[in-house]
Amino acid sequence: ISGNGRFVVFESDATNLLTGDNNNFTDVFRFDRQNAVTELVSVNTSGGYADGPSMVGSVSSDGSYVAFYSWATDVRSDGSDATIVPDVYVHDFGHGTAYGSILASVSSGGAQGYRAPCTQRNLQTGQCIQWGYCTQPAASIYPSISAPATAGNIWTAFSSDAMTFTPPCGPAGCGDCNERMDVFLNTQ
């Protein structure tokens, strides 16, 4: 629920909330209590329903931004998402954005997350040993969006098992090698 109580964000499998919902997936919606209007949040780049499930919406305090995660490949406003795992998106309702949503589960350089090869240095031999996963797309889920944007920034926190969101560090060149979900903050 938005800070002023006007907007309620929810997910639903119902096909009768809006006309034309025949994608057979869970969708994310925003209900405007003041005007009694339901809007699709997980909209694709053509203005229709997404080609995969979308869920767990989080609304900014003024209701103009909604974060959600989705397996859909056609909700990203700047191109398609070919990964087979969920990603976090932010949909902008009030600032002239075309159909689709901004991919929020990215590194500080704008790259999508991957479970990259992770290495560990053998302290006796100095040799790097590769272990873990090799360049599989990383899942990003459970978004939480901040209050209204300040100075043009939207703050979105989310969980991800990406190993490439943190820079390589240490003598072995590892980034995030704990093989666990971690919480990240994107400040778009």
Side-chain angles (χ1 to χ4, degrees):
I1 298 176
S2 63
N4 60 8
R6 177 177 173 181
F7 297 101
V8 178
V9 171
F10 62 97
E11 65 185 61
S12 178
D13 292 328
T15 59
N16 62 349
L17 295 175
L18 297 173
T19 58
D21 187 353
N22 58 3
N23 67 353
N24 297 317
F25 293 115
T26 303
D27 299 302
V28 177
F29 299 90
R30 181 182 78 161
F31 179 69
D32 182 341
R33 294 178 59 227
Q34 180 176 318
N35 296 314
V37 173
T38 300
E39 298 171 281
L40 180 63
V41 173
S42 51
V43 63
N44 68 23
T45 55
S46 300
Y49 288 86
D51 66 1
S54 301
M55 48 194 64
V56 186
S58 174
V59 63
S60 63
S61 66
D62 67 351
S64 64
Y65 296 97
V66 177
F68 63 98
Y69 73 88
S70 181
W71 280 266
T73 63
D74 62 350
V75 298
R76 186 174 174 178
S77 61
D78 64 348
S80 68
D81 178 5
T83 66
I84 56 171
V85 295
D87 292 301
V88 172
Y89 297 91
V90 173
H91 188 81
D92 180 351
F93 277 96
H95 303 90
T97 302
Y99 294 123
S101 299
I102 300 164
L103 180 63
S105 52
V106 294
S107 70
S108 58
Q112 207 160 349
Y114 284 91
R115 296 183 54 77
C118 201
T119 58
Q120 190 172 36
R121 184 176 295 278
N122 181 319
L123 296 178
Q124 292 177 342
T125 66
Q127 181 181 17
C128 286
I129 302 166
Q130 183 176 323
W131 60 277
Y133 302 93
C134 295
T135 60
Q136 296 175 351
S140 296
I141 55 177
Y142 303 120
S144 180
I145 198 163
S146 70
T150 56
N153 288 332
I154 308 163
W155 292 46
T156 309
F158 58 93
S159 297
S160 182
D161 62 355
M163 295 177 173
T164 56
F165 286 162
T166 57
C169 59
C174 288
D176 178 6
C177 296
N178 66 5
E179 294 197 32
R180 303 273 192 264
M181 293 293 265
D182 295 298
V183 176
F184 297 93
L185 178 66
N186 181 313
T187 57
Q188 297 179 2

